[in-house]
Each structure stands twice: as C-alpha cells, then as structure tokens.
Amino acid sequence: MSISSISSIVVARATNLGARPSLSRRQSPRSARRSQPRGGETQPLLRLGASSSLERRSRVVVRASSSEDDAKVEGNAAAEAESASGGDEAMECVLVGQDVSCVLSEDEGDQLVGAKEEEEDSTSGLLAVLGGVALVSPFFLWGTSMVAMKEVLPATSPLFVASVRLVPAGAVLVAWAASKGRPMPSGGMAWLAIAIFALIDGTVFQGCLAEGLQRTSAGLGSVIIDSQPLTVAVLAAIIYGESLAPAGVFGLFLGVVGLLMLELPKEALAQIGGGDLGGALASVTAGVDGEWWMLLAAQSMAVGTVMVRWVCKYVDPVMATGWHMALGGVPLLAYSVATEPAVYENLDKLTTGDVGGLLYTSLLGSALAYGAFFYFASKGSLTKLSSLTFLTPMFAALFGYLLLGETLDEVQLAGAAVTIVGIYLVNTRASEGQEEKEA
C-alpha cells in the first residue's frame, strides 16, 4: 500500500469524520504521537483537515501500514468515511517509512463555544444578583432613612423633613434624567398626569405622614403605613387584573403579622394573643389621635403606586418621579415656612450629623429610592413589588439596633422571619392565580 493511497484515506477520513472509527487501535492517541521510527528517520508532522463544527469532542487514532491488513484498513476507512457525518476536524499525522499514525485533535471551536457558554452563564448569574439588589434597594434606603430622620426630627419638624425629602430630591432627579437624554414631559396630558401624581403621592402622602408622625406612636404608625401592600394588591387586581393564589394571599397576611411583631409593644402583642383586640388597640392609641392620618398616608402611597403605570403612558418613569416629587413638595414647603418659622430660624444650629442625615434622606432615601421604585412599578408586578415594602421596617429595626443602640428582642427577630416568609410566598406564588385563570 503506497503512501499516496494512505494519504487519500486519511484526508477522506479527516473531512468526513463524525463518529469514533473502528480502525485498528494498536496505539493509543498519546502513544501515536510518540511513535518510534522504524527506519531511524521520522517524517515531519502533517496537519490535515480544518476546524470542526462537531457538537462533541473526540480523539481518534488512525494507523495504517504496508502489511497484509492493507486491504482491510483501506476498506474500513472508506466505509467509515462514507457513513460518517459532521464537519471537518484537524488531524495530526506522523509518517514513518511506509506507516502513518494519525491523531484527531480536540475540536478547538467546541472549546471556544464551551468557554463562551460558561462565561455567559456566569454573566447571567451576576446580572440576576445585581437585579435582585436593585429591586430591594428602595426599601433598604427607606429603612435606613428612617434611622437618619430620627436624629434630625427633634431639631426640625416632620413637615420640614418631608419638604426636604421632596423638593431638592425631585430637582436632582429631573436634572439627572435630563443629562441622560430622557425626554421632558410634553403636552397637556403629560403635565396633567404629573400634577395628579404629585398631589396624591407627593403632597397628600408626605403631608399625612408628617402629621401622623407627630400624633401617633412610632410602632403603630409603622404598622399602618407599611401595610399598604394590601391596598396595592386589591387595586392591582381590580384595575390591571393581577391576581393572587391562596398562598400569595397568605403571604400578605404573614407580612402584616410580621409587622405587628416588629413594631408593637409586647403588652399589646400579649393582649392580641389573648384575644383582647380592643385592649391592644386601646393600649397603642392611648393619648394619640394620628392613626387616621397614617392610614390616609398609606392609602395615598398605594394609589400612587398603582397609578404610576397610567402616568408612564405619557411621561418617562424617571422624569415623572422627579417632577412629581418637586411639585408635590412645594405646597408642603410653603405650609412649613408659614406655620413653623422657628424651624427656619434655627437651621444654623443644625450639626454636621443633622445635615448629613438630611442629605442622605433627600438624595438617597428619596431621589434614588423613589426613582428606582417607580421605575420598577412601571415595568413589573405591582403586588410583588409592593410586598417588598414589608422589608422597610426590618431594615429600620436592624440599623436602629446597629447605629442607635435600639433594642432588638426575640419577638422582633421572629417577626422579621415571619415577614420574610410572607414576602417569599407573595413573590413566588403571586402569579399562580393569574396562570390558573388563563389556563
């Protein structure tokens, strides 16, 4: 058998190989590379074929010699070349006298594809983590802002803080959106939508919240204001057709229970556990009359959350958030200046920590937090997003404990655990009711 006939068999095998051949394997792939010359002279290494598009990798040895098996080798190679499928693969061959030993190298293209797929998987995993962090960030910023405001409120007033949270933050957000090329509101419907949004979610919400903070206990106020996901779930179901499976409804219930455990005094919790709901309510509302203000604030925020989709039909989400904060805060600022002159007379007495708290509350706790929240509200499930509001008092309690030395007992820790379970149920089961309805 001549070298030319062997070469033709090898070339045919290299261009048509798609499966592992049944040729003689008297040498392994590794030993084929190390074949010792019979005549004491080794021919140069030949590389036949081209890169392959096969889906799997393989290493194959093709060995032919001028022995009595020549006809068998040639027949096997021809049969396999005829039946094989796939693309071309690179083949390395060593000619030794009249013998040829070849190794089909691993497909470099498949290696590159595999590396690219691994890189894409790691990138998608990282993006998923960053997306989760971004989704939770508004509630983290709101919770930590509560800690910052606790230090500022004694030196100012709730109404002043509400004004500072809205007007400067809205202006900063509008300026940032404009610098990024986001379109300004245009047309009568756009400005009408912003005006209604500003009135409900800006003026009414922050005004009632400021008034309620002065008239009710912190625990009861937090429970009332952070229970607004219940209202959002009802409104989203009525207006947008969002629905909850029973597990999702139970998750909302657990969220409220967790809030009660986090925020209410132990005495009130003991009365609730004993079935004395009237006594518990009386104990937390004794001497205060601000619960209705807090309830109105919660409903205002819920309505604002639901209406953002309508607003974003006419205005960019970030622009809508900035303008509604800036415009909604103007009446509060005007009322504060008119009724609280002493606050403005003593602004020069604010400490560096007070100013830092105001800046954090305005830029991060308002501009960034509200910008992210309403952006997500315009894109995804309102019920799922709103359920994350239950995280706000958790972050407030945690950082109050870490930074202000506030207590965090076993009941509060249990309440945090219950709240997390409730959020999990809402965010994993919230769409099941809609899926069953569509099915």
PDB file of all heavy atoms in Angstrom, residues 113-131:
ATOM      1  N   VAL A 113     -16.596  27.533  22.085  1.00  0.00           N
ATOM      2  CA  VAL A 113     -18.040  27.634  22.345  1.00  0.00           C
ATOM      3  C   VAL A 113     -18.344  27.316  23.801  1.00  0.00           C
ATOM      4  O   VAL A 113     -19.131  27.983  24.468  1.00  0.00           O
ATOM      5  CB  VAL A 113     -18.818  26.695  21.412  1.00  0.00           C
ATOM      6  CG1 VAL A 113     -20.280  26.613  21.831  1.00  0.00           C
ATOM      7  CG2 VAL A 113     -18.712  27.180  19.977  1.00  0.00           C
ATOM      8  N   GLY A 114     -17.707  26.239  24.335  1.00  0.00           N
ATOM      9  CA  GLY A 114     -17.933  25.881  25.729  1.00  0.00           C
ATOM     10  C   GLY A 114     -17.498  26.970  26.683  1.00  0.00           C
ATOM     11  O   GLY A 114     -18.189  27.283  27.654  1.00  0.00           O
ATOM     12  N   ALA A 115     -16.326  27.583  26.393  1.00  0.00           N
ATOM     13  CA  ALA A 115     -15.853  28.669  27.249  1.00  0.00           C
ATOM     14  C   ALA A 115     -16.783  29.863  27.192  1.00  0.00           C
ATOM     15  O   ALA A 115     -17.056  30.513  28.208  1.00  0.00           O
ATOM     16  CB  ALA A 115     -14.437  29.085  26.831  1.00  0.00           C
ATOM     17  N   LYS A 116     -17.306  30.139  25.989  1.00  0.00           N
ATOM     18  CA  LYS A 116     -18.227  31.266  25.845  1.00  0.00           C
ATOM     19  C   LYS A 116     -19.519  31.015  26.606  1.00  0.00           C
ATOM     20  O   LYS A 116     -20.073  31.920  27.244  1.00  0.00           O
ATOM     21  CB  LYS A 116     -18.523  31.493  24.365  1.00  0.00           C
ATOM     22  CG  LYS A 116     -19.393  32.719  24.098  1.00  0.00           C
ATOM     23  CD  LYS A 116     -19.579  32.939  22.626  1.00  0.00           C
ATOM     24  CE  LYS A 116     -20.445  34.174  22.373  1.00  0.00           C
ATOM     25  NZ  LYS A 116     -20.656  34.406  20.921  1.00  0.00           N
ATOM     26  N   GLU A 117     -20.032  29.758  26.532  1.00  0.00           N
ATOM     27  CA  GLU A 117     -21.257  29.440  27.258  1.00  0.00           C
ATOM     28  C   GLU A 117     -21.067  29.569  28.758  1.00  0.00           C
ATOM     29  O   GLU A 117     -21.943  30.066  29.466  1.00  0.00           O
ATOM     30  CB  GLU A 117     -21.705  28.018  26.910  1.00  0.00           C
ATOM     31  CG  GLU A 117     -22.228  27.887  25.482  1.00  0.00           C
ATOM     32  CD  GLU A 117     -22.592  26.458  25.146  1.00  0.00           C
ATOM     33  OE1 GLU A 117     -22.249  25.564  25.965  1.00  0.00           O
ATOM     34  OE2 GLU A 117     -23.200  26.227  24.086  1.00  0.00           O
ATOM     35  N   GLU A 118     -19.908  29.119  29.265  1.00  0.00           N
ATOM     36  CA  GLU A 118     -19.624  29.256  30.697  1.00  0.00           C
ATOM     37  C   GLU A 118     -19.561  30.721  31.095  1.00  0.00           C
ATOM     38  O   GLU A 118     -20.055  31.116  32.159  1.00  0.00           O
ATOM     39  CB  GLU A 118     -18.314  28.554  31.034  1.00  0.00           C
ATOM     40  CG  GLU A 118     -18.380  27.032  30.924  1.00  0.00           C
ATOM     41  CD  GLU A 118     -17.057  26.386  31.229  1.00  0.00           C
ATOM     42  OE1 GLU A 118     -16.097  27.136  31.542  1.00  0.00           O
ATOM     43  OE2 GLU A 118     -16.959  25.143  31.170  1.00  0.00           O
ATOM     44  N   GLU A 119     -18.947  31.523  30.230  1.00  0.00           N
ATOM     45  CA  GLU A 119     -18.853  32.955  30.531  1.00  0.00           C
ATOM     46  C   GLU A 119     -20.231  33.606  30.542  1.00  0.00           C
ATOM     47  O   GLU A 119     -20.539  34.428  31.402  1.00  0.00           O
ATOM     48  CB  GLU A 119     -17.969  33.634  29.492  1.00  0.00           C
ATOM     49  CG  GLU A 119     -17.768  35.134  29.733  1.00  0.00           C
ATOM     50  CD  GLU A 119     -16.873  35.783  28.701  1.00  0.00           C
ATOM     51  OE1 GLU A 119     -16.315  35.048  27.861  1.00  0.00           O
ATOM     52  OE2 GLU A 119     -16.743  37.005  28.737  1.00  0.00           O
ATOM     53  N   GLU A 120     -21.102  33.191  29.577  1.00  0.00           N
ATOM     54  CA  GLU A 120     -22.455  33.747  29.537  1.00  0.00           C
ATOM     55  C   GLU A 120     -23.261  33.327  30.759  1.00  0.00           C
ATOM     56  O   GLU A 120     -24.038  34.113  31.299  1.00  0.00           O
ATOM     57  CB  GLU A 120     -23.154  33.286  28.258  1.00  0.00           C
ATOM     58  CG  GLU A 120     -22.601  33.937  26.990  1.00  0.00           C
ATOM     59  CD  GLU A 120     -23.266  33.401  25.745  1.00  0.00           C
ATOM     60  OE1 GLU A 120     -24.012  32.401  25.856  1.00  0.00           O
ATOM     61  OE2 GLU A 120     -23.033  33.962  24.660  1.00  0.00           O
ATOM     62  N   ASP A 121     -23.089  32.074  31.209  1.00  0.00           N
ATOM     63  CA  ASP A 121     -23.804  31.610  32.401  1.00  0.00           C
ATOM     64  C   ASP A 121     -23.397  32.403  33.628  1.00  0.00           C
ATOM     65  O   ASP A 121     -24.236  32.811  34.436  1.00  0.00           O
ATOM     66  CB  ASP A 121     -23.527  30.122  32.635  1.00  0.00           C
ATOM     67  CG  ASP A 121     -24.200  29.251  31.587  1.00  0.00           C
ATOM     68  OD1 ASP A 121     -25.131  29.750  30.928  1.00  0.00           O
ATOM     69  OD2 ASP A 121     -23.797  28.076  31.434  1.00  0.00           O
ATOM     70  N   SER A 122     -22.085  32.635  33.781  1.00  0.00           N
ATOM     71  CA  SER A 122     -21.616  33.398  34.943  1.00  0.00           C
ATOM     72  C   SER A 122     -22.089  34.842  34.864  1.00  0.00           C
ATOM     73  O   SER A 122     -22.449  35.442  35.879  1.00  0.00           O
ATOM     74  CB  SER A 122     -20.083  33.347  35.029  1.00  0.00           C
ATOM     75  OG  SER A 122     -19.499  33.916  33.871  1.00  0.00           O
ATOM     76  N   THR A 123     -22.119  35.400  33.638  1.00  0.00           N
ATOM     77  CA  THR A 123     -22.588  36.780  33.477  1.00  0.00           C
ATOM     78  C   THR A 123     -24.064  36.901  33.811  1.00  0.00           C
ATOM     79  O   THR A 123     -24.489  37.838  34.494  1.00  0.00           O
ATOM     80  CB  THR A 123     -22.340  37.258  32.035  1.00  0.00           C
ATOM     81  OG1 THR A 123     -20.937  37.176  31.748  1.00  0.00           O
ATOM     82  CG2 THR A 123     -22.809  38.700  31.859  1.00  0.00           C
ATOM     83  N   SER A 124     -24.882  35.931  33.325  1.00  0.00           N
ATOM     84  CA  SER A 124     -26.312  35.980  33.619  1.00  0.00           C
ATOM     85  C   SER A 124     -26.581  35.815  35.108  1.00  0.00           C
ATOM     86  O   SER A 124     -27.485  36.450  35.662  1.00  0.00           O
ATOM     87  CB  SER A 124     -27.047  34.891  32.831  1.00  0.00           C
ATOM     88  OG  SER A 124     -26.581  33.608  33.205  1.00  0.00           O
ATOM     89  N   GLY A 125     -25.782  34.983  35.786  1.00  0.00           N
ATOM     90  CA  GLY A 125     -25.937  34.833  37.229  1.00  0.00           C
ATOM     91  C   GLY A 125     -25.619  36.112  37.964  1.00  0.00           C
ATOM     92  O   GLY A 125     -26.316  36.503  38.904  1.00  0.00           O
ATOM     93  N   LEU A 126     -24.561  36.802  37.533  1.00  0.00           N
ATOM     94  CA  LEU A 126     -24.185  38.068  38.158  1.00  0.00           C
ATOM     95  C   LEU A 126     -25.264  39.118  37.933  1.00  0.00           C
ATOM     96  O   LEU A 126     -25.614  39.876  38.842  1.00  0.00           O
ATOM     97  CB  LEU A 126     -22.850  38.546  37.591  1.00  0.00           C
ATOM     98  CG  LEU A 126     -22.327  39.904  38.102  1.00  0.00           C
ATOM     99  CD1 LEU A 126     -22.125  39.866  39.607  1.00  0.00           C
ATOM    100  CD2 LEU A 126     -21.034  40.281  37.397  1.00  0.00           C
ATOM    101  N   LEU A 127     -25.815  39.159  36.716  1.00  0.00           N
ATOM    102  CA  LEU A 127     -26.874  40.131  36.423  1.00  0.00           C
ATOM    103  C   LEU A 127     -28.118  39.865  37.253  1.00  0.00           C
ATOM    104  O   LEU A 127     -28.795  40.801  37.686  1.00  0.00           O
ATOM    105  CB  LEU A 127     -27.215  40.089  34.932  1.00  0.00           C
ATOM    106  CG  LEU A 127     -26.147  40.624  33.972  1.00  0.00           C
ATOM    107  CD1 LEU A 127     -26.590  40.449  32.534  1.00  0.00           C
ATOM    108  CD2 LEU A 127     -25.859  42.099  34.253  1.00  0.00           C
ATOM    109  N   ALA A 128     -28.418  38.586  37.485  1.00  0.00           N
ATOM    110  CA  ALA A 128     -29.581  38.250  38.315  1.00  0.00           C
ATOM    111  C   ALA A 128     -29.388  38.740  39.745  1.00  0.00           C
ATOM    112  O   ALA A 128     -30.314  39.271  40.364  1.00  0.00           O
ATOM    113  CB  ALA A 128     -29.812  36.742  38.298  1.00  0.00           C
ATOM    114  N   VAL A 129     -28.172  38.581  40.270  1.00  0.00           N
ATOM    115  CA  VAL A 129     -27.884  39.053  41.631  1.00  0.00           C
ATOM    116  C   VAL A 129     -28.002  40.570  41.697  1.00  0.00           C
ATOM    117  O   VAL A 129     -28.613  41.132  42.611  1.00  0.00           O
ATOM    118  CB  VAL A 129     -26.486  38.589  42.069  1.00  0.00           C
ATOM    119  CG1 VAL A 129     -26.096  39.247  43.389  1.00  0.00           C
ATOM    120  CG2 VAL A 129     -26.451  37.071  42.210  1.00  0.00           C
ATOM    121  N   LEU A 130     -27.411  41.255  40.710  1.00  0.00           N
ATOM    122  CA  LEU A 130     -27.474  42.724  40.696  1.00  0.00           C
ATOM    123  C   LEU A 130     -28.914  43.205  40.546  1.00  0.00           C
ATOM    124  O   LEU A 130     -29.306  44.216  41.146  1.00  0.00           O
ATOM    125  CB  LEU A 130     -26.607  43.266  39.553  1.00  0.00           C
ATOM    126  CG  LEU A 130     -25.097  43.048  39.688  1.00  0.00           C
ATOM    127  CD1 LEU A 130     -24.372  43.575  38.459  1.00  0.00           C
ATOM    128  CD2 LEU A 130     -24.561  43.719  40.947  1.00  0.00           C
ATOM    129  N   GLY A 131     -29.719  42.479  39.748  1.00  0.00           N
ATOM    130  CA  GLY A 131     -31.121  42.845  39.604  1.00  0.00           C
ATOM    131  C   GLY A 131     -31.875  42.714  40.912  1.00  0.00           C
ATOM    132  O   GLY A 131     -32.711  43.557  41.247  1.00  0.00           O
TER     133      GLY A 131
END
